[in-house]
Amino acid sequence: MLELTMASVSGTDAGATAGMLMAETPSEPGAVLRVGRDRNVCRLVTPDDWLFVSRTHLEFRCGPDGAWSVRWLRGSNPDPASEVRVVSEGAARPLAYGGAAPLSWGGSGEIVIQDRSGPRSVNIGYYHEG
């Protein structure tokens, strides 16, 4: 089971959240959960006017062995308007535009989408049952 909690944070005050959403899905091979602005394909949706987040920005995918990974999907622009970091076990690692990273079994962490032009971010906490 993969559980996600998403908070959209706006403004200079880190406590000013625009909204919080939750989603979960069983760890079945081929399962997919997407994050972005497009309500038709994403289970977790950011505000429509947050253009630093692509229509389909992140994709969480369960592999054949039940392990989850996150991929930053490439958008229509050659250079992204955001930065993405994977935070787990006390370390923050940048996720490359178009790149993927595994999520630790039985672990928790956070994926942060940071607007490059202002103090806005999307923080996605995850818990992957082992």
Side-chain angles (χ1 to χ4, degrees), residues 11-124:
T12 56
D13 177 14
T17 58
M20 184 162 302
L21 301 168
M22 294 178 70
E24 66 180 30
T25 190
S27 292
E28 298 172 353
V32 175
L33 199 150
R34 294 181 183 95
V35 176
R37 294 188 341 260
D38 189 339
R39 297 182 189 289
N40 294 319
V41 296
C42 298
R43 294 250 323 262
L44 293 175
V45 180
T46 63
D48 290 336
D49 62 341
W50 285 32
L51 301 180
F52 70 97
V53 177
S54 300
R55 292 173 39 87
T56 307
H57 201 89
L58 298 177
E59 181 176 85
F60 293 84
R61 182 173 293 276
C62 185
D65 59 355
W68 285 89
S69 64
V70 60
R71 175 175 299 280
W72 183 2
L73 302 172
R74 292 187 69 88
S76 57
N77 295 323
D79 295 317
S82 62
E83 297 174 356
V84 177
R85 293 184 309 280
V86 178
V87 182
S88 66
E89 300 175 7
R93 299 177 320 253
L95 185 61
Y97 188 42
L103 302 181
S104 57
W105 278 92
S108 62
E110 184 176 38
I111 313 297
V112 179
I113 305 169
Q114 181 69 51
D115 185 353
R116 285 186 169 168
S117 66
R120 297 183 296 184
S121 67
V122 177
N123 298 40
I124 303 160

